[in-house]
Amino acid sequence: MLRRLKLKPLLIFDRVLASSSIARAAKELNLTQPAVTKAIQELETDLGVELFERTNRGVVPTFYGTLLGGHVKSVIAELRHLTDELNSFRTGESGHVIIGTLISASARLLPIAIAKLKQDRPGVLVTVREGPTDRLFPALATGELDLVVGRLPEADLPLARMFSFEHTVLYEEALCAAVWNEHPLTLKKKIPLRDLLDWPWLLPVTESPARLTAEKLFLDAGLSMPSNVVESLSLLTNIGLMQSMQAITLMPRAVAQHFAQMKLLSILELGDIGQFGKIGYSVRAEKATTPAALHFIQCLKLAAAEL
């Protein structure tokens, strides 16, 4: 029966039931009366029951017609809801955006962008997944993520050659060294990098592109890497370690300034220590971006302009 039943005869049946007239239903549906009669007869044949009794005043539903009418109305209501949801999804009013984020975006840029999106499109579900570059970009390539936000990968990295991505730069981020707000080094001005080697350091893991930036900093200064190092990409863990072991970390200046305003961290005055890298977002080159994700990208651009 499910294979035989079609939607159009059910819609015609609903109009005949509501109007109690073949003629009125035909007029409302812009069909001929024979076409409406044929649709009702085919439906009766498929169901094996009589749906209407014909009278001089029109048609009257049988018990089976009344029973079917309640279910058809439910089907039509569900289709109307489905249409509304599809239209909403197509216009970006609803949907689901899955965002991969790196530490460079998770503290400031991403929260501002998400807040803007939810203000304009509260029906959009947002899922944020944090991780290192070598995990997020393969997930983006397979479609598990809609986009990745943060420090853009270097062009010569194997990761950038393995998959087809489109990278959009939002701004360039400076690098800075930060410590817990009550660290003894906060009392000093213009500290030489050499004087920091004996302190504990928090550095990105070796496979992270940000690690290359950190190593280059010490190499350009003619210094060896610190010996007391914890490797971590967890922003929450790093803040805890900065407090508990008075560690120094390198981070994007916008991120450090955000936590400095909260009186959690202080930025060390080391002078110009270079650029952290280009901050932006990445999407799959060969996959169309969903309307909801496109709205989020617009919010991302607006958020970047405020930083």
Side-chain angles (χ1 to χ4, degrees):
M1 184 181 296
L2 288 175
R3 288 194 295 268
R4 293 198 305 269
L5 285 178
K6 298 179 181 178
L7 179 60
K8 186 174 180 179
L10 292 175
L11 295 175
I12 292 174
F13 164 81
D14 179 69
R15 295 315 308 150
V16 173
L17 183 65
S19 62
S20 300
S21 168
I22 297 290
R24 281 195 294 269
K27 184 177 181 180
E28 291 175 5
L29 295 170
N30 196 28
L31 296 173
T32 64
Q33 291 187 40
V36 172
T37 300
K38 182 180 179 182
I40 297 298
Q41 290 173 343
E42 290 178 350
L43 190 58
E44 289 177 327
T45 300
D46 289 338
L47 295 174
V49 296
E50 189 177 1
L51 298 174
F52 292 103
E53 294 180 357
R54 279 71 176 175
T55 70
N56 292 334
R57 295 182 178 180
V59 293
V60 178
T62 64
F63 170 80
Y64 300 108
T66 302
L67 180 64
L68 177 63
H71 289 284
V72 169
K73 289 184 183 301
S74 297
V75 170
I76 293 174
E78 287 299 320
L79 288 173
R80 186 176 66 252
H81 295 324
L82 174 61
T83 301
D84 290 342
E85 288 185 15
L86 288 174
N87 288 335
S88 181
F89 184 86
R90 185 166 56 247
T91 59
E93 295 291 338
S94 65
H96 189 189
V97 182
I98 307 178
I99 307 161
T101 181
L102 301 159
I103 187 174
S104 53
S106 59
R108 188 66 177 152
L109 173 64
L110 194 58
I112 295 176
I114 292 175
K116 289 182 178 295
L117 175 69
K118 296 300 283 185
Q119 183 177 9
D120 295 337
R121 302 286 190 272
V124 175
L125 173 63
V126 178
T127 299
V128 179
R129 296 178 182 172
E130 190 176 66
T133 300
D134 61 342
R135 292 182 185 176
L136 294 180
F137 278 89
L140 178 62
T142 59
E144 297 175 64
L145 300 175
D146 291 312
L147 69 163
V148 173
V149 182
R151 185 182 189 272
L152 299 179
E154 302 294 340
D156 58 347
L157 288 179
L159 182 67
R161 298 194 299 268
M162 289 171 59
F163 306 108
S164 180
F165 299 123
E166 288 182 359
H167 306 290
T168 300
V169 179
L170 296 174
Y171 56 90
E172 291 199 18
E173 182 64 280
L175 188 67
C176 71
V179 294
W180 184 248
N181 206 36
E182 298 177 1
H183 197 288
L185 289 173
T186 59
L187 302 175
K188 297 186 178 182
K189 302 293 184 181
K190 295 184 179 179
I191 310 166
L193 185 60
R194 183 184 304 274
D195 293 352
L196 305 181
L197 292 180
D198 292 335
W199 289 94
W201 278 81
L202 304 174
L203 296 176
V205 293
T206 54
E207 61 268 24
S208 169
R211 179 59 175 263
L212 299 176
T213 303
E215 292 177 353
K216 186 176 184 300
L217 171 65
F218 292 99
L219 180 64
D220 290 348
L223 302 172
S224 58
M225 292 289 291
S227 58
N228 187 355
V229 171
V230 174
E231 295 180 341
S232 170
L233 287 175
S234 170
L235 185 59
L236 188 59
T237 299
N238 288 355
I239 290 176
L241 289 172
M242 293 167 75
Q243 180 184 20
S244 60
M245 58 184 289
Q246 294 189 328
I248 305 170
T249 190
L250 297 174
M251 64 172 56
R253 182 169 288 274
V255 177
Q257 288 174 337
H258 173 66
F259 288 107
Q261 291 173 357
M262 299 171 64
K263 307 299 183 183
L264 293 176
L265 305 182
S266 292
I267 299 174
L268 297 180
E269 297 300 329
L270 302 182
D272 185 12
I273 61 174
Q275 292 293 315
F276 175 77
K278 296 177 180 178
I279 307 299
Y281 64 89
S282 304
V283 297
R284 284 174 59 181
E286 74 283 1
K287 181 183 177 182
T289 306
T290 66
L294 287 174
H295 275 298
F296 174 73
I297 288 174
Q298 294 304 313
C299 293
L300 201 60
K301 293 178 179 178
L302 292 174
E306 294 181 6
L307 297 179

